Amino acid sequence: MLDTSPLSAAVERFADRLRAAPQSRLQQGAAAAALELARELSVRAQRLEAPGRVPRVMPDEGLFVVGDQVAVAGLDLAEALRGGGAGAADTAKAPSELLDEAVSLVEQAEIRAMR
């Protein structure tokens, strides 16, 4: 089973920073960057869990929810990777490579959002 703790740690760190961020920071683009990340992580998880189905788009629930959306989407992806989702066979990438990409996405989004 794949160790997804690097993804879980990165997601939780960013989600905690978003939850603690002032409204002004969220309005200046942090919330938009976080929602974009949450949507991407969600799509990746859905593709692993249900290949062939059109992924649902995570809704925009507002500034103060994006931290939770990042956490949920990131942890869903970690679970899908740990379980070796059915969609993993549909990609040319190994699960460890998908994990590394997801960690990088989270880290880059955190840098953009919190600068």
Side-chain angles (χ1 to χ4, degrees):
M1 180 166 18
L2 184 64
D3 176 15
T4 59
S5 59
L7 177 58
S8 298
V11 163
E12 286 298 332
R13 180 183 58 246
F14 185 29
D16 286 345
R17 290 187 72 190
L18 289 164
R19 291 177 187 126
Q23 182 175 353
S24 60
R25 167 74 55 126
L26 295 171
Q27 289 173 325
Q28 292 170 354
L35 179 60
E36 180 182 332
L37 172 67
R39 286 177 170 168
E40 179 62 25
L41 297 176
S42 174
V43 164
R44 288 174 182 230
Q46 291 176 66
R47 286 188 178 141
L48 286 172
E49 293 170 342
R53 255 198 232 160
V54 176
R56 294 176 306 272
V57 176
M58 183 173 284
D60 182 348
E61 295 294 335
L63 296 175
F64 303 112
V65 181
V66 293
D68 293 331
Q69 288 179 304
V70 166
V72 167
L75 297 177
D76 281 352
L77 179 55
E79 183 62 30
L81 288 167
R82 249 190 326 275
D90 292 344
T91 180
K93 297 178 183 176
S96 60
E97 191 175 352
L98 297 172
L99 173 65
D100 291 343
E101 283 180 2
V103 171
S104 180
L105 280 174
V106 174
E107 291 170 347
Q108 293 303 312
E110 183 176 9
I111 290 168
R112 280 192 317 276
M114 305 313 278
R115 64 177 137 149

